[in-house]
Amino acid sequence: MSGDTTSNSDDDRPLASSSPVKGVNGHLNGKNPDYSDVEMDDDDGDEDDIPLSQTRRASVLPPRRYLKRKKAAVSESSSDDDTPLASSPPKQSSTAVRMPGAVVATTVPVSVAQRNGLKKQVAVKEGPSDDEESIQTPVKKKPPRKRVKNEGSGAGASKPSRKRKVKVESDVELSDDDDDDKPIAKASAKKVKNEDTESSSEDDKPLATPSPQKAKDGFGEDLSKSKKKATKKKVEEDKANGKGKRKAKKEEEDEEVYRWWDINIKEDNTVKWITLEHSGVCFPPPYEVLPSNVKMKYDGKEVDLPPASEEVAGFYAALLETDYAQNNTFNKNFFEDWKKVLENHPPRNDVQITSFAKCDFRPMFEHFEAEKARKKAMSSAEKKELKKKKEETEAKYTACLLNGRKEKVGNFRIEPPGLFKGRGEHPRTGALKFRIRPEDITLNIGKDAPIPIPNMPGKWKAVQHDNTVTWLATWTENVNGNHKYVFLAAGSSLKGQSDMIKFEKARELKKHVDRIRNNYTSDLKSKVMAERQRATAMYFIDKLALRAGNEKGEDEADTVGCCSLRCEHVTLEPPHFIIFDFLGKDSIRYYNRVQIDPQVYKNIKIFKENKDDDDSLFDRVNTSGLNKHLNSEMKGLTAKVFRTYNASITFQRLLDEANLENASLQEKHNAYNKANRLVAILCNHQRSVPKTHDQSMEKMRYKLKALRYDRMKLRHALFGLDLKYKKQAKFREDDDESDLELDWIATHEENLKAKEIEKAEKRFAKDNEKLVEDGGKPQKDLILKHKIENIEREFKQLESERGKETATLKTSKTAEKIIEQIEKATEKIKTCKLQMMDRDEGKEVALSTSKINYLDPRITASWCKIHDVPIEKLFSKTLLTKFPWALEVDEDWKF
DNA sequence: TTTTGAACTTAGCACCGCTTAG
DNA sequence: CTAAGCGGTGCTAAGTTCAAAA
């Protein structure tokens, strides 16, 4: 651990971010210390023009950002003195960094008009290539982008999305034709049944399943072909050496496995399916009114709510004991929306509800709790029965028919109504999420497929047949106007294919990454502001795996990513450190202090000059421009590919680096998890510390101490046998024991005694039971008493030995035996310590996110083969079904 | 252009059922 | 056998990306 800063600034690997530690704070601050230094190594004196363009200050900011930031507990650290750069612009910048051409600009707040004038100067000044960009004005008007998506209810029925040009059949055929001589056809809908070998399936391109495959399978090009061969070979091998058997068996269970990965996947798969049949979506059951004795109170009086408003009240009541109920925004939004419902469905007993504070939802809450308890208390048979019923009603929704093959559907259950649970400081959190009806839902389904009947009264909003998209149903959620979709499950071929394409794209980046890095490294010194900023942003995206960072609207939580970073989110610390502190996706805090390239350091300093805290750091960069540029570096490259690439390549490297010669299974597993964890830290995948964490740490600490105690006793006993051992270093008291205070020992021995006694009593009782059962009579109580007395005596003895270096063991042993035990104890202590550290370090790191989304599963699969680890140890069942395409790689496969 | 829309991936958390320690 | 603790899953929010609309 530790590695706070960046021990490894090796150029080509992501900086290990210091774990998401909180505190740290080693900000040296002080006023711009060594500027000279920074300047120094700058061979190109091109600074001057940069700041210039920089000077315009934003100004247009909606004040809210500012306020908001202030609140956001995040940036406490970076108070005034740490940020010498940002705060008082003119003062420093003008003096410290002198830039001839720019003086005017920097010292004087520049108006638009001036800017234009300046621009000219600037351009001239630094060499020929100055371009428009460097001058351009309105830096940062933050687009008051307000997405007023709203009530999706509008009429605008569904025109078959106007997405990418919808390629249609003709197109399909086309691609078919040209790119394959032969194999495609055969490859197409090959259903591999258990024993079905290649040879046989070779020719029976089953027309049964609509020949569709052709359309989309068929990858492209070189790569695909060789790859396919490889896979095939592999399969044969497996069969040969017996693994085949296992596989065959598995497949038997699944009936047919569609091995789409044996077929070439086209990168351009605009057409997603040829035929599609499904049963639509499953609506939640209607609201059931509460028993008449359960009523909320208003101002102490019971309120008789009609179902509609009772339901909403219930949504809130259920959350009474959660943090949501402590959140003012949440309460406000809920109450406002609830009042709207109340207007149309007022209490039947004429209570006027106007004050949130007077509402008492407790009775409802308690009723829910009771219900929960009741459910929990049901016999397991009843539970099973219930579960079975549910499964039956849902059965038809769980799968669909895609190109004639059965595929699992993902989220076929329509989200029940409730209160919107926005994360972080979401302005809309707590708002009422309406019940979705068929009228809200657009279905997407094959032309010839029967149109499903909704399981609640109503008619679909629309039914379309767009085979260029993968969703089965969609609706617009009322709170934020976001679109929701029903997609296939993660294990489906469609998802699998795009997953595989994703990782292949990331692997492709390997071939270009050196070049791209060279390019942006030299762009770090570009005279064009926009390029310089872009290069700097790319540096962060690459080295730190930051997200792209789109602009966000006013009615969303204030979170940022790379492009949307504001000055307040980064603090420079001489000589070459930067501290990031901002809220990212899901309002998860990203805190990282890292050493950065001196040029980047210098750039950031420049970018921050003359800006306010709430001004955009990269005012000339946005995600679409960035991605456009990335795409020009490599086809299909976007910011997120870097995350995938860096996560996977790092993972591969870490695994390769681990020395696992004759390691135990457990050790291998640990090594794997460690690599996984480092990646998770890189990607800042956090989780909230488990509620029981402190407690379980405490337990482990105690256990550790107890182990130390045991070893101490053993040592003492050894000395009792022969003092010569006392001289040997390995039996000397080590630090481990130094914290065994007498107090603690006393308590511990007390505990041990209590346990012993309890055990004795239990055994006594049990023995008696047995005796009675066998027709005998129970032992006398006296026996137990004796036993207990014995124990007491034992512990008296221990007590007398406290603080002394003597010990009597219960059973006398030889020195060898004791030594052996000591060694064992030492080992145990070590393991326990490791376990503790592991647990503690991992308490806020979520491993699963990277496993599911960022780590190429083939890395794991091949690693398992190399190290003979059953993959089930590392991949859960869902992961295994998600990655069937990855499990067959051979062991020399590398990301 | 810039903004909005659409579609798809990525994310953390609550809850549940299965182990596992006791 | 029971309670606790844990990983796995379902849920749905919150991102990214690309392309059409304004």
Side-chain angles (χ1 to χ4, degrees):
Chain A
M1 48 176 346
S2 73
D4 221 350
T5 67
T6 130
S7 30
N8 53 339
S9 40
D10 273 6
D11 229 9
D12 51 6
R13 45 199 57 162
L15 304 174
S17 52
S18 53
S19 54
V21 201
K22 3 241 93 171
V24 183
N25 78 342
H27 316 159
L28 304 188
N29 62 16
K31 24 209 7 298
N32 43 312
D34 21 8
Y35 256 58
S36 46
D37 203 54
V38 179
E39 279 270 296
M40 234 48 260
D41 59 339
D42 187 19
D43 37 34
D44 52 358
D46 59 351
E47 223 87 296
D48 328 27
D49 57 336
I50 306 286
L52 239 218
S53 53
Q54 194 61 241
T55 34
R56 44 19 232 338
R57 358 189 356 149
S59 57
V60 210
L61 274 203
R64 166 199 156 243
R65 291 226 175 252
Y66 202 71
L67 288 180
K68 194 148 194 212
R69 285 309 58 230
K70 286 232 145 122
K71 275 195 292 192
V74 186
S75 45
E76 29 26 338
S77 57
S78 61
S79 52
D80 335 339
D81 15 5
D82 305 1
T83 48
L85 298 176
S87 33
S88 46
K91 186 170 50 184
Q92 279 170 246
S93 46
S94 60
T95 53
V97 185
R98 91 260 94 211
M99 26 190 158
V103 177
V104 191
T106 50
T107 42
V108 180
V110 187
S111 72
V112 177
Q114 278 172 311
R115 250 181 261 138
N116 290 338
L118 283 176
K119 153 199 217 151
K120 206 149 220 184
Q121 263 177 320
V122 177
V124 173
K125 164 168 196 205
E126 252 300 322
S129 67
D130 279 336
D131 71 318
E132 2 78 51
E133 266 305 64
S134 74
I135 314 144
Q136 214 171 53
T137 46
V139 173
K140 65 189 193 164
K141 73 180 162 187
K142 293 210 165 132
R145 52 148 58 207
K146 195 164 246 187
R147 284 194 197 148
V148 189
K149 304 185 191 170
N150 249 337
E151 295 354 50
S153 53
S158 66
K159 39 203 169 168
S161 73
R162 53 180 188 153
K163 276 190 31 157
R164 352 201 143 138
K165 47 238 130 134
V166 178
K167 300 201 188 158
V168 212
E169 340 276 318
S170 60
D171 209 12
V172 175
E173 299 302 353
L174 252 193
S175 68
D176 195 6
D177 291 354
D178 52 43
D179 71 0
D180 37 51
D181 7 64
K182 28 86 207 226
I184 276 304
K186 112 194 166 198
S188 58
K190 172 163 83 177
K191 293 183 182 178
V192 179
K193 297 211 179 166
N194 37 1
E195 273 315 325
D196 189 1
T197 64
E198 280 77 28
S199 52
S200 71
S201 63
E202 206 59 45
D203 284 327
D204 59 24
K205 47 198 125 164
L207 270 208
T209 38
S211 57
Q213 287 330 96
K214 297 182 171 188
K216 53 190 242 202
D217 303 330
F219 209 80
E221 296 65 316
D222 29 4
L223 174 130
S224 54
K225 270 179 193 160
S226 56
K227 178 170 229 155
K228 179 159 129 200
K229 252 186 258 158
T231 326
K232 239 187 212 171
K233 205 171 72 199
K234 179 68 204 196
V235 172
E236 271 154 26
E237 264 169 32
D238 278 358
K239 289 224 159 113
N241 66 22
K243 278 190 201 162
K245 248 191 277 163
R246 197 168 36 133
K247 197 184 302 165
K249 210 158 81 195
K250 241 195 223 149
E251 285 176 19
E252 241 164 278
E253 287 169 16
D254 292 345
E255 290 276 318
E256 312 164 353
V257 175
Y258 169 43
R259 316 181 94 253
W260 55 263
W261 55 93
D262 278 352
I263 299 157
N264 296 324
I265 308 297
K266 264 244 171 91
E267 207 176 302
D268 163 46
N269 55 348
T270 339
V271 172
K272 303 294 170 53
W273 49 266
I274 303 299
T275 68
L276 174 63
E277 295 181 40
H278 60 82
S279 309
V281 297
C282 182
F283 292 93
Y287 179 66
E288 279 178 40
V289 298
L290 298 180
S292 57
N293 61 330
V294 180
K295 299 239 180 299
M296 67 163 295
K297 292 181 182 158
Y298 184 77
D299 209 5
K301 273 208 303 271
E302 287 200 342
V303 187
D304 184 16
L305 293 169
S309 38
E310 180 190 78
E311 181 181 23
V312 180
F315 295 151
Y316 186 83
L319 301 174
L320 260 197
E321 304 259 291
T322 69
D323 290 347
Y324 294 111
Q326 307 302 316
N327 177 333
N328 287 335
T329 314
F330 192 93
N331 291 342
K332 196 179 117 258
N333 285 330
F334 152 71
F335 194 56
E336 268 170 26
D337 283 359
W338 186 43
K339 276 195 294 190
K340 278 180 220 154
V341 177
L342 282 168
E343 271 170 35
N344 295 324
H345 307 272
R348 291 180 283 220
N349 58 345
D350 281 343
V351 182
Q352 292 294 315
I353 297 179
T354 53
S355 156
F356 177 71
K358 289 182 183 164
C359 296
D360 176 11
F361 300 96
R362 206 91 216 160
M364 297 175 96
F365 172 78
E366 267 149 23
H367 171 254
F368 295 143
E369 289 293 297
E371 281 294 287
K372 251 191 252 169
R374 197 174 57 81
K375 266 191 198 146
K376 210 164 141 194
M378 282 191 311
S379 76
S380 63
E382 284 174 305
K383 281 187 203 164
K384 237 177 226 163
E385 183 66 21
L386 236 57
K387 199 174 159 193
K388 206 171 133 200
K389 274 241 174 75
K390 193 177 175 208
E391 264 165 23
E392 270 163 26
T393 63
E394 290 182 343
K396 63 174 181 173
Y397 302 107
T398 59
C400 67
L401 230 45
L402 185 89
N403 297 339
R405 280 182 306 269
K406 203 170 159 190
E407 300 256 18
K408 284 255 189 290
V409 180
N411 52 330
F412 55 85
R413 277 178 279 252
I414 288 296
E415 296 174 17
L419 302 182
F420 172 67
K421 292 174 176 151
R423 317 228 171 110
E425 287 183 24
H426 194 119
R428 299 283 292 134
T429 193
L432 174 61
K433 228 172 65 165
F434 298 155
R435 180 176 292 270
I436 304 298
R437 302 148 302 136
E439 284 73 13
D440 301 313
I441 296 208
T442 299
L443 289 188
N444 192 41
I445 196 166
K447 269 201 183 68
D448 302 326
I451 293 169
I453 315 277
N455 68 334
M456 74 178 274
K459 278 190 164 149
W460 304 116
K461 173 177 175 184
V463 177
Q464 63 169 57
H465 319 281
D466 181 355
N467 70 354
T468 67
V469 296
T470 66
W471 52 268
L472 311 187
T474 185
W475 74 97
T476 305
E477 157 261 350
N478 67 296
V479 176
N480 299 291
N482 291 329
H483 301 310
K484 303 275 190 150
Y485 298 87
V486 173
F487 291 119
L488 294 193
S492 64
S493 62
L494 276 178
K495 293 287 192 189
Q497 284 162 19
S498 77
D499 230 25
M500 183 163 141
I501 289 170
K502 172 183 78 183
F503 287 115
E504 283 305 309
K505 183 61 75 184
R507 290 180 81 210
E508 195 188 335
L509 177 53
K510 264 199 319 185
K511 289 184 264 173
H512 302 268
V513 78
D514 289 337
R515 187 191 77 242
I516 293 172
R517 283 173 177 163
N518 285 338
N519 288 348
Y520 75 62
T521 304
S522 67
D523 276 353
L524 287 174
K525 299 180 180 174
S526 169
K527 299 187 177 148
V528 180
M529 190 53 156
E531 280 178 15
R532 191 127 151 180
Q533 290 193 358
R534 188 180 64 207
T536 311
M538 280 173 69
Y539 176 89
F540 290 146
I541 285 171
D542 181 20
K543 300 282 176 184
L544 301 175
L546 298 192
R547 296 190 184 83
N550 285 302
E551 280 289 336
K552 295 191 70 186
E554 290 298 309
D555 47 4
E556 298 172 274
D558 178 27
T559 62
V560 299
C562 187
C563 294
S564 48
L565 280 170
R566 296 192 296 268
C567 292
E568 62 196 311
H569 297 133
V570 298
T571 309
L572 291 173
E573 179 189 304
H576 297 311
F577 284 94
I578 188 169
I579 297 162
F580 289 89
D581 195 346
F582 61 87
L583 297 184
K585 180 174 178 181
D586 291 304
S587 293
I588 294 294
R589 183 183 181 190
Y590 182 90
Y591 181 94
N592 197 5
R593 176 177 173 273
V594 277
Q595 189 162 35
I596 50 175
D597 181 293
Q599 184 61 42
V600 173
Y601 185 94
K602 192 158 57 176
N603 286 354
I604 296 298
K605 187 186 287 188
I606 293 166
F607 302 158
K608 286 185 79 173
E609 238 153 48
N610 293 327
K611 286 193 198 162
D612 291 336
D613 272 357
D614 56 348
D615 288 342
S616 180
L617 179 66
F618 300 119
D619 50 87
R620 302 302 192 77
V621 178
N622 61 37
T623 52
S624 70
L626 178 75
N627 279 335
K628 213 159 126 197
H629 175 250
L630 290 177
N631 190 57
S632 75
E633 294 265 26
M634 180 189 116
K635 190 173 162 242
L637 184 61
T638 63
K640 98 187 176 81
V641 179
F642 275 93
R643 280 195 119 212
T644 314
Y645 163 76
N646 275 318
S648 281
I649 199 100
T650 304
F651 188 56
Q652 179 75 262
R653 176 171 57 80
L654 291 170
L655 286 181
D656 289 349
E657 280 171 10
N659 176 13
L660 294 174
E661 263 176 73
N662 47 50
S664 68
L665 185 62
Q666 186 59 49
E667 285 168 317
K668 288 175 189 169
H669 197 169
N670 284 157
Y672 180 91
N673 278 347
K674 195 170 160 195
N676 192 165
R677 176 162 340 122
L678 288 174
V679 172
I681 289 172
L682 173 71
C683 295
N684 200 232
H685 290 144
Q686 298 190 231
R687 59 170 184 168
S688 58
V689 178
K691 287 190 182 71
T692 52
H693 181 263
D694 281 352
Q695 195 188 331
S696 88
M697 277 313 273
E698 195 42 58
K699 254 183 206 166
M700 290 181 87
R701 257 193 293 277
Y702 185 88
K703 187 178 150 200
L704 181 63
K705 254 180 162 177
L707 287 171
R708 286 168 179 167
Y709 168 87
D710 291 347
R711 188 174 60 176
M712 178 189 75
K713 282 292 173 194
L714 287 166
R715 281 175 44 243
H716 292 174
L718 188 61
F719 301 160
L721 287 179
D722 191 335
L723 277 177
K724 79 177 179 200
Y725 293 113
K726 206 170 167 179
K727 302 227 171 87
Q728 296 179 16
K730 69 172 179 179
F731 298 122
R732 209 164 293 145
E733 172 179 339
D734 53 24
D735 304 340
D736 281 356
E737 280 171 29
S738 55
D739 62 345
L740 293 179
E741 320 82 3
L742 287 181
D743 269 5
W744 183 87
I745 292 178
T747 331
H748 181 54
E749 286 176 354
E750 234 6 85
N751 289 345
L752 287 178
K753 189 166 87 180
K755 250 184 232 161
E756 290 268 324
I757 293 177
E758 204 188 317
K759 230 189 338 189
E761 282 168 345
K762 269 197 185 148
R763 167 152 328 146
F764 180 77
K766 213 169 171 187
D767 286 353
N768 275 354
E769 249 172 60
K770 210 168 192 183
L771 279 174
V772 173
E773 225 170 74
D774 296 348
K777 38 174 129 144
Q779 303 160 271
K780 297 219 170 92
D781 284 354
L782 201 60
I783 298 196
L784 176 63
K785 209 171 150 200
H786 278 306
K787 275 188 181 159
I788 293 180
E789 276 167 6
N790 268 338
I791 294 174
E792 299 271 6
R793 205 168 314 129
E794 239 172 62
F795 279 89
K796 266 272 160 18
Q797 170 69 20
L798 285 179
E799 196 180 329
S800 70
E801 290 167 355
R802 270 181 217 158
K804 298 189 207 145
E805 290 209 323
T806 55
T808 352
L809 296 180
K810 276 189 230 171
T811 50
S812 47
K813 293 187 175 121
T814 62
E816 290 79 47
K817 275 251 165 78
I818 297 180
I819 291 174
E820 195 181 294
Q821 279 194 300
I822 290 180
E823 275 159 3
K824 235 186 234 163
T826 311
E827 202 51 39
K828 266 193 195 165
I829 289 173
K830 215 169 88 190
T831 327
C832 182
K833 269 195 201 161
L834 277 176
Q835 231 173 42
M836 269 176 69
M837 265 170 55
D838 213 53
R839 162 96 43 109
D840 200 47
E841 278 170 23
K843 69 179 176 217
E844 43 195 13
V845 181
L847 299 190
S848 60
T849 308
S850 47
K851 223 181 205 173
I852 296 171
N853 298 302
Y854 290 103
L855 302 178
D856 190 321
R858 291 169 295 186
I859 301 173
T860 299
S862 79
W863 185 84
C864 279
K865 283 179 184 160
I866 296 171
H867 297 284
D868 203 27
V869 174
I871 198 162
E872 293 77 16
K873 281 253 180 291
L874 308 178
F875 279 177
S876 67
K877 207 176 71 204
T878 28
L879 245 31
L880 288 174
T881 55
K882 177 174 180 186
F883 297 132
W885 55 274
L887 303 181
E888 299 169 2
V889 286
D890 26 51
E891 58 176 57
D892 50 3
W893 188 92
K894 293 284 181 206
F895 178 78

